[in-house]
Amino acid sequence: MGRLALEGVKKSFGGVDVIRGVDLAIRDGEFVVMVGPSGCGKSTLLRLIAGLEPVTAGRIEIDGRDVTALEPVDRRLAMVFQSYALYPHMTVRGNMAFGLETARVPKPEIDAKVAEAARILALEPLLDRLPKQLSGGQRQRVAIGRAIVRDPVAFLFDEPLSNLDAALRVQTRHEIAKLHRSLGRTAVYVTHDQVEAMTLADRIVVMDAGSVRQFDTPEALYHRPADLFVAQFIGSPKMNVLPARAADGGVSILGGPPVAVPLPSRGRAPTQLGVRPEHLEFAAPEAGALTGTVSDVEYLGADSIVFVAHAEGTEVTLRVPGRAPVRVGEAVGVAISPAAVHLFDGEGRALAGGER
Ligand SMILES: Nc1ncnc2c1ncn2[C@@H]1O[C@H](COP(=O)(O)OP(=O)(O)OP(=O)(O)O)[C@@H](O)[C@H]1O
Ligand SMILES: [Mg+2]
């Protein structure tokens, strides 16, 4: 129960292609997070899965059954939105029961389901309150409760935490993770938040302009991004990307001394080198693969972000533990560990490298 499959799904609005042929196979019980830039089609794809919009082409299956032409109620999915859209004149209990009442579920069954959802979400003391008497986090829990009572085969979440403040986001994120562990239901979850994506997901879908760039585990996206887009989208601060070319004994960045990265023996030549800020270290100016001048230092407590400007006009970002041992204006070298290097060809496709 809860297997979702999308095959060649497309959606156009008035001739504009918003979803350009998406194939996805989501396993039963899997927590899948969708990320991508604003406007890339995440909400649209979720609405297509839910049946709130008809597809322009393609097929959607739930547990092997073609549901492409089915109404939302017949798909047995539950959607939780960013705006909780609770009925303001109904209590928490009333809000959770409403969908079941309209579906004419017998009263004792409704009571049992609401009680169970309230227990899971720790909403029992709040059942007789109105939405206006709740905090944002509590309202979002009611919205999730409304989804739980329907006993869906899968949950669809569209940025459910983005209206909450930072502390409440963290807390509610833990609650969603716990909920998923206890219910074991398939979830498709859209977010803009890197931490939510990395921590909640079994697998992450990275979307760009209506297409899936990569669908893989958080580890794979971080260590083995398929292309430059994914490489720079996952990770914060984002991966440094520098012009590079094959040189004797490895790859040279901006004409500097070669970094000893093993190159693919034949085929596409590397034109760009990627390395994450946390995989760079300071070195003596003459010893680094790169040299430059420190242009800014951001001290964050546990670590510091340092920006180094290279003479060629490029800038690299380093993340170093604690307080950085450098000052703005200082000339520094930057050492690159070959094991942490990603190489890309002229079309931005990954060639080799990263931690495998
Ligand atoms: N009903 C509609 N009619 C016309 N265009 C639409 C409609 N719904 C969405 N779009 C367009 O489709 C594209 C994708 O929108 P969508 O809401 O799916 O993006 P998103 O990835 O969820 O973005 P965000 O991260 O900002 O929420 C956008 O360019 C949007 O303007
Ligand atoms: Mg959206």
Side-chain angles (χ1 to χ4, degrees):
M1 195 167 96
R3 235 173 347 110
L4 304 179
L6 276 64
E7 288 167 19
V9 169
K10 293 184 183 172
K11 179 69 183 175
S12 322
F13 289 110
V16 180
D17 299 334
V18 170
I19 301 295
R20 297 158 180 262
V22 166
D23 298 298
L24 279 181
I26 297 173
R27 301 176 194 124
D28 179 27
E30 195 169 23
F31 201 118
V32 169
V33 173
M34 268 204 272
V35 296
S38 188
C40 72
K42 303 178 295 294
S43 296
T44 303
L45 194 57
L46 218 53
R47 293 171 61 80
L48 294 174
I49 297 172
L52 298 171
E53 294 276 357
V55 302
T56 305
R59 179 183 161 93
I60 299 174
E61 285 183 4
I62 300 177
D63 293 321
R65 184 168 72 121
D66 186 349
V67 300
T68 319
L70 292 189
E71 291 295 317
V73 289
D74 299 321
R75 301 191 185 193
R76 296 208 35 228
L77 305 171
M79 194 143 169
V80 180
F81 299 95
Q82 169 181 352
S83 58
Y84 345 104
L86 301 179
Y87 300 108
H89 57 287
M90 285 184 197
T91 61
V92 168
R93 186 194 313 278
N95 266 284
M96 290 204 283
F98 184 71
L100 300 177
E101 283 163 359
T102 45
R104 295 178 193 280
V105 174
K107 176 102 176 31
E109 196 179 318
I110 295 179
D111 290 346
K113 285 190 160 161
V114 170
E116 171 68 0
R119 188 188 61 75
I120 293 170
L121 295 165
L123 287 170
E124 284 151 321
L126 308 176
L127 279 171
D128 296 314
R129 290 209 199 163
L130 293 171
K132 68 173 181 217
Q133 298 167 314
L134 301 175
S135 73
Q138 290 165 339
R139 282 180 214 174
Q140 193 52 282
R141 293 220 300 275
V142 177
I144 295 170
R146 220 169 28 178
I148 291 177
V149 295
R150 297 182 44 210
D151 195 21
V153 295
F155 291 96
L156 308 176
F157 293 96
D158 196 352
E159 305 197 43
L161 307 187
S162 48
N163 281 348
L164 308 183
D165 70 33
L168 208 48
R169 280 184 86 119
V170 173
Q171 187 193 330
T172 315
R173 187 177 85 217
H174 286 308
E175 282 167 8
I176 289 180
K178 218 161 63 187
L179 186 71
H180 180 250
R181 277 195 296 272
S182 67
L183 297 179
R185 267 324 132 76
T186 308
V188 185
Y189 186 107
V190 171
T191 182
H192 272 113
D193 186 308
Q194 289 262 337
V195 179
E196 270 172 42
M198 295 299 274
T199 56
L200 288 172
D202 292 314
R203 286 193 291 169
I204 298 176
V205 181
V206 183
M207 285 189 63
D208 177 34
S211 303
V212 173
R213 287 283 188 151
Q214 196 171 356
F215 180 30
D216 217 327
T217 62
E219 292 81 357
L221 294 180
Y222 180 82
H223 292 297
R224 297 183 300 280
D227 59 30
L228 262 177
F229 180 86
V230 175
Q232 292 208 288
F233 196 81
I234 299 287
S236 176
K238 68 180 186 183
M239 184 187 282
N240 295 294
V241 175
L242 299 159
R245 60 178 172 75
D248 241 6
V251 176
S252 158
I253 306 164
L254 299 164
V259 182
V261 188
L263 288 175
S265 52
R266 55 200 174 86
R268 298 165 288 152
T271 63
Q272 300 184 85
L273 177 147
V275 60
R276 298 197 183 276
E278 53 273 37
H279 297 147
L280 291 175
E281 281 180 358
F282 288 111
E286 64 284 357
L290 273 172
T291 53
T293 309
V294 176
S295 58
D296 200 8
V297 180
E298 294 175 347
Y299 172 64
L300 299 173
D303 46 22
S304 298
I305 311 298
V306 182
F307 302 88
V308 174
H310 187 273
E312 304 287 325
T314 56
E315 191 174 64
V316 293
T317 311
L318 291 81
R319 172 183 230 141
V320 295
R323 202 171 263 295
V326 296
R327 286 188 317 278
V328 172
E330 192 177 330
V332 293
V334 177
I336 298 177
S337 156
V341 158
H342 301 259
L343 297 177
F344 303 94
D345 69 8
E347 273 131 50
R349 288 173 299 177
L351 289 182
E355 290 165 29
R356 264 140 218 283

